[in-house]
Amino acid sequence: MDACSEDVINSLPDNLLCQILSNLSTKEAALTSLLSKRWRYLFALVPNLDFDSFSSQHTDHTNFIDFVDRVLKLRGKDHVNKFSLKCGDGFEDEDVYPWISNVLRHGVSDLSLHVSSPLVYWLPSKVFVSKTLVRLKIGPEDGPRVKLRNVCLPRLKTLNLDSVVFQEGEIGFAKLLHGCPVLEELSLPNLEWDYWGSCYVASKILKRLTLCCAHGDDNQKSVSFDTPNLVYLKYSDNIAQKYPKVNFDSLVNASIDIRMTNDQKSNVRYASDDAEEREMVGNATELLMGLCSVKTLYLSYDTLETHNFCCEAMPVFNNLTQLTIESNPEVGWESLPELIKNCPNLETLVFQGLLHKATDKCGDVCLCNGLQRRSSLSHCPVKFLKILKFREACNDDDDVDMVTEMEMIKNFLKKMLNLEQLTIYYNTSIKDDLVEVLSQLQMLPEVASFKCKIQVISDSLGLSLMAPCLLYQ
């Protein structure tokens, strides 16, 4: 740095220098204390504090504790805007609790705690009583437990609780929602609710909800959603016995992963296919009916399988324009013909893998057992077809699986009348592989849509090849 540049920086007021330093982590900002006497304590006045015990600079726990204590002491009573803390085993509750209490007293608005369960088995309840918090994130996996005596977070808009266990179950969860009157985004990516009898998500304000429950051996008695202003939903859970209330009036984007327990899967997969009626193992009919207004929908392979045994009817998705289907070699596509038929305005169809269990009930969606009982592809309005993870699910019969996937893609091209573009994501590191796939598809003697173009993409190569569907038109 030349003398002129140094003079310009030194001429800046402290508040502007602190604003510049706030773009650095606290450990990086602390290095500026070596520049001069003026810079010695300036880093501690930055309103955004980021402490990470996992970084190489803080290999010794004692040094890390001393560093955090020193920074917070130097700040005095100054307002804290953001406080981020990451620390694992080797720390004691009496080390961490004072830090959390300190920033809460000084009006922190953005609090992120990445603390392990052995460190903080019980999270201090005062975290959930704050008039200043706007954003709160607590984790990670196997994170702390919370026992909610009172919840008063009048300004909180974003809440992310990763692997936090509610000691009071559904009662604690209800307290949480009631104590956050302006909450717009709630994320519970690893919720443990083995001992909950039911779950009721009720909020007129909530716009985004992630509710992912750990795999367990039981089914909830009931799960309800009364969230009329929700626009985004990610829901993953064992199928509940019932969904008595489902209010998704504003929902636009949904990702659904409802599954049977392992015992239920074993029972239904090996039951006689000749049985006239399949026994319902839960009832997701109301849940799916509540999703009928969405525009973008993702369905896991578990959801496809669950539909066969847990739903009385397939709803009509009049607003749906993009549908993503996850595939699995052990799960069939029995639900797909009716699903595609019930999406009259579908524009984009995405397959996350193509390999699935061969059955005689896939209609013309694939070539399982050579049967073509129900027509769904030839009448579907889809313009854009995307194949993700091409060849990624292949096993020891690699060549056989590739032939199967290619035949399925050819089947799409032969039957989808409105198709304008087929995009295949093939993460190969060999350019000739892309060329071979494109060439095979171009050699088809006939296709349903002459205006269709084919694109093959490899992220590994950073390469994309595109060509018309028919080589000779």
Side-chain angles (χ1 to χ4, degrees), residues 3-122:
C4 182
S5 299
E6 185 175 354
D7 288 339
V8 170
I9 293 176
N10 284 326
S11 66
L12 297 176
D14 286 356
N15 62 338
L16 186 54
L17 290 176
C18 285
Q19 185 176 343
I20 295 173
L21 290 177
S22 66
N23 295 314
L24 305 175
S25 68
T26 302
K27 69 171 186 177
E28 292 171 331
L31 296 176
T32 62
S33 63
L34 302 174
L35 294 176
S36 68
K37 185 179 294 185
R38 181 194 178 193
W39 289 82
R40 186 174 182 181
Y41 302 116
L42 198 60
F43 75 95
L45 304 180
V46 173
N48 297 335
L49 302 177
D50 181 6
F51 298 104
D52 184 357
S53 71
F54 299 103
S55 67
S56 57
Q57 185 176 346
H58 298 295
T59 54
D60 183 81
H61 289 162
T62 302
N63 289 340
F64 179 76
I65 293 170
D66 290 343
F67 177 65
V68 179
D69 286 340
R70 176 169 170 255
V71 171
L72 293 180
K73 184 177 181 179
L74 287 172
R75 291 189 56 80
K77 297 182 180 180
D78 285 355
H79 168 74
V80 177
N81 177 51
K82 180 178 180 180
F83 182 78
S84 175
L85 174 65
K86 296 180 180 180
C87 53
D89 299 341
F91 295 87
E92 301 296 335
D93 293 353
E94 53 264 31
D95 298 320
V96 176
Y97 280 14
W99 302 337
I100 298 174
S101 298
N102 182 298
V103 296
L104 287 172
R105 285 197 309 270
H106 294 102
V108 64
S109 59
D110 188 336
L111 179 61
S112 178
L113 302 175
H114 186 283
V115 291
S116 63
S117 182
L119 167 62
V120 186
Y121 189 74
W122 290 105

Side-chain angles (χ1 to χ4, degrees), residues 44 54 67 185 248 366 373 376 379 384 392 434 441 466:
F54 299 103
F67 177 65
E185 181 173 353
F248 292 138
C366 69
R373 294 183 179 178
S376 54
H379 295 94
F384 305 98
E392 289 187 25
L434 300 184
L441 296 178
M466 180 176 281

Side-chain angles (χ1 to χ4, degrees), residues 1 5 27 36 38 74 77 92 104 119 143 152 159 210 241 251 301 307 329 349 406 425 444 457:
M1 181 184 295
S5 299
K27 69 171 186 177
S36 68
R38 181 194 178 193
L74 287 172
K77 297 182 180 180
E92 301 296 335
L104 287 172
L119 167 62
C152 183
L159 177 60
T210 297
Q241 294 179 20
L251 196 60
Y301 64 83
H307 175 270
L349 178 60
M406 287 297 293
Y425 292 84
L444 284 175
I457 298 173

Side-chain angles (χ1 to χ4, degrees), residues 117-242:
S117 182
L119 167 62
V120 186
Y121 189 74
W122 290 105
L123 197 68
S125 58
K126 63 179 64 178
V127 170
F128 295 94
V129 181
S130 168
K131 295 181 179 180
T132 60
L133 276 178
V134 176
R135 181 179 180 273
L136 175 60
K137 181 177 181 180
I138 302 173
E141 189 174 352
D142 299 324
R145 293 175 177 267
V146 293
K147 188 171 184 178
L148 301 174
R149 298 181 181 89
N150 295 298
V151 178
C152 183
L153 298 167
R155 297 185 60 192
L156 193 71
K157 291 188 175 182
T158 302
L159 177 60
N160 186 317
L161 302 178
D162 189 347
S163 296
V164 172
V165 178
F166 291 92
Q167 188 65 19
E168 298 173 295
E170 61 266 38
I171 297 175
F173 182 66
K175 283 183 183 179
L176 179 68
L177 291 178
H178 182 72
C180 304
V182 298
L183 189 65
E184 296 181 355
E185 181 173 353
L186 174 61
S187 181
L188 302 166
N190 293 287
L191 181 62
E192 293 277 355
W193 64 3
D194 289 345
Y195 303 105
W196 294 31
S198 61
C199 178
Y200 196 104
V201 184
S203 172
K204 307 298 182 185
I205 305 297
L206 202 62
K207 295 181 179 179
R208 297 178 64 86
L209 173 63
T210 297
L211 183 61
C212 298
C213 307
H215 289 245
D217 299 325
D218 299 309
N219 304 89
Q220 289 290 321
K221 291 181 180 179
S222 72
V223 176
S224 292
F225 298 92
D226 187 8
T227 51
N229 289 302
L230 200 70
V231 295
Y232 171 84
L233 171 67
K234 182 177 182 180
Y235 176 48
S236 175
D237 189 16
N238 287 355
I239 179 72
Q241 294 179 20
K242 59 181 179 179

